[in-house]
Amino acid sequence: MGQNILVTGGAGYLGSIMVPELLNAGHRVTVLDNFMFKQNSLAHVCHNPNFSVVNGDARIEKTIAPLVKKADLVIPLAAYVGAPLCNRDPIGATTTNKDAILMMFRLLSPQQRVIMPTTNSAYGTGDKNNFCDENTPLNPISLYAKDKVEVEKVLMTRENSISFRLATVFGMSPRMRVDLLVNDFTYRAFHDRFVVLFEGHFKRNYVHIRDVTRAFIHGISKFDQMKGGIFNVGLSEANLSKAELCQVIKKHVPDFTIMEAPVGKDPDQRNYIVSNEKIEKTGFKPNHSLEMGIGELLNGYMMIKNSIYGNV
């Protein structure tokens, strides 16, 4: 039997893939989004009688309170995602990423369920082996990660909650983000044919956007088993350094030139290897490889070019 699901930020990068799949699974979905990027990425599901959308701000209590009241499950995707955007507008970031979520928690009854995306960027840099699992002490570097850590602490005091610490997401979406690492490097390979790497040995974990959706649907179906838990969600075969990632892309774009910067530091000092064993033991396994995602991105970049101020 389908549930009433509220997805805040449901017209964003993740939500534009997730919401149609939640509808396909038989749920009734309400999206709250302020459409700050002027996107119409959910236009193709407007015909569905189980879909409704509200153009509004998740930070405003009178907007979100009546929507929360009707929900069996809340998936809070509304966020300023990534260090650069948060640094550009730290007040907007904290009011959205932390304050609005804590307000929403206060509006929820203990019986209502929450499945929340947090971030494995909270690990910062791991131990001497850079290995991290869900018990590893957190070392958030960015404002984005710090706010997510604070929210996760409160989330885990609720009875009916799951936290998914997402790896760096990649893949095409109707509300595309070219700035994510795999998406960005593939874009540079396709359009520029070169990239300059700062600290190319730094490792991260990655996950395809459609596997993120699959993880949430898995969490809904196994909620009673997984509630109260924190789970890394990533592709275990893709704990790769930036230099290793570029070599995978180069298989698809042979004339891609990779240059290691002789000086300078990456402002994003994340460097870790992440274990996804905990969620895998519940029966979840990603089914989109990094190679598949890169092929998909190269198809997508036939249609996309960021040239707002260019003549060609």
Side-chain angles (χ1 to χ4, degrees), residues 46-65:
C46 288
H47 72 285
N48 193 314
N50 287 327
F51 173 69
S52 61
V53 61
V54 176
N55 190 330
D57 194 320
R59 295 173 292 189
I60 298 173
E61 184 168 350
K62 69 178 182 180
T63 299
I64 196 167

Side-chain angles (χ1 to χ4, degrees), residues 115-134:
I115 304 181
M116 174 132 195
T118 52
T119 175
N120 72 17
S121 68
Y123 295 125
T125 298
D127 58 19
K128 63 183 179 181
N129 299 312
N130 291 337
F131 179 82
C132 301
D133 64 16
E134 290 83 355

Side-chain angles (χ1 to χ4, degrees), residues 185-205:
F185 283 7
T186 306
Y187 183 91
R188 292 169 190 266
F190 184 83
H191 286 294
D192 304 332
R193 292 298 196 270
F194 77 92
V195 68
V196 178
L197 294 183
F198 292 88
E199 297 174 309
H201 62 285
F202 277 10
K203 287 182 177 284
R204 285 198 213 174
N205 195 212

Side-chain angles (χ1 to χ4, degrees), residues 10-11 16 19-20 35 39-48 51 53 174:
S16 297
V19 167
F35 298 91
Q39 70 272 37
N40 69 341
S41 52
L42 294 173
H44 59 300
V45 297
C46 288
H47 72 285
N48 193 314
F51 173 69
V53 61

Side-chain angles (χ1 to χ4, degrees), residues 47-274:
H47 72 285
N48 193 314
N50 287 327
F51 173 69
S52 61
V53 61
V54 176
N55 190 330
D57 194 320
R59 295 173 292 189
I60 298 173
E61 184 168 350
K62 69 178 182 180
T63 299
I64 196 167
L67 302 176
V68 165
K69 190 174 182 180
K70 295 183 291 185
D72 302 312
L73 168 71
V74 180
I75 300 176
L77 300 183
Y80 280 43
V81 180
L85 180 59
C86 293
N87 292 340
R88 191 174 74 189
D89 182 5
I91 295 172
T94 293
T95 55
T96 304
N97 296 355
K98 183 176 71 173
D99 299 344
I101 303 296
L102 298 181
M103 175 186 68
M104 186 193 71
F105 290 166
R106 292 193 296 270
L107 295 171
L108 288 165
S109 72
Q111 292 74 36
Q112 289 175 293
R113 298 175 168 191
V114 178
I115 304 181
M116 174 132 195
T118 52
T119 175
N120 72 17
S121 68
Y123 295 125
T125 298
D127 58 19
K128 63 183 179 181
N129 299 312
N130 291 337
F131 179 82
C132 301
D133 64 16
E134 290 83 355
N135 297 313
T136 299
L138 300 179
N139 180 32
I141 296 168
S142 66
L143 173 63
Y144 174 70
K146 289 174 182 176
D147 283 344
K148 285 286 191 179
V149 166
E150 287 193 46
V151 165
E152 187 182 68
K153 287 177 182 176
V154 179
L155 178 72
M156 287 295 100
T157 66
R158 297 192 72 255
E159 293 178 33
N160 286 302
S161 299
I162 297 171
S163 174
F164 283 151
R165 289 179 181 166
L166 302 184
T168 298
V169 186
F170 64 92
M172 290 297 299
S173 168
R175 210 310 272 179
M176 189 56 186
R177 283 189 61 197
V178 177
D179 57 301
L180 293 162
L181 196 66
V182 178
N183 298 356
D184 177 32
F185 283 7
T186 306
Y187 183 91
R188 292 169 190 266
F190 184 83
H191 286 294
D192 304 332
R193 292 298 196 270
F194 77 92
V195 68
V196 178
L197 294 183
F198 292 88
E199 297 174 309
H201 62 285
F202 277 10
K203 287 182 177 284
R204 285 198 213 174
N205 195 212
Y206 305 96
V207 65
H208 192 278
I209 188 169
R210 293 188 181 274
D211 284 322
V212 174
T213 287
R214 291 180 58 250
F216 275 80
I217 290 174
H218 177 77
I220 292 170
S221 67
K222 297 208 169 184
F223 193 89
D224 289 337
Q225 174 187 340
M226 297 173 68
K227 67 181 179 181
I230 297 169
F231 299 87
N232 293 328
V233 179
L235 182 60
S236 293
E237 296 77 31
N239 275 299
L240 300 177
S241 70
K242 289 183 281 187
E244 290 167 336
L245 168 62
C246 286
Q247 290 302 322
V248 178
I249 296 170
K250 190 174 175 68
K251 293 178 187 176
H252 296 260
V253 186
D255 58 345
F256 181 33
T257 299
I258 303 138
M259 300 174 61
E260 288 268 4
V263 295
K265 293 181 69 175
D266 188 337
D268 189 339
Q269 288 289 296
R270 284 183 280 164
N271 182 24
Y272 42 67
I273 298 166
V274 177

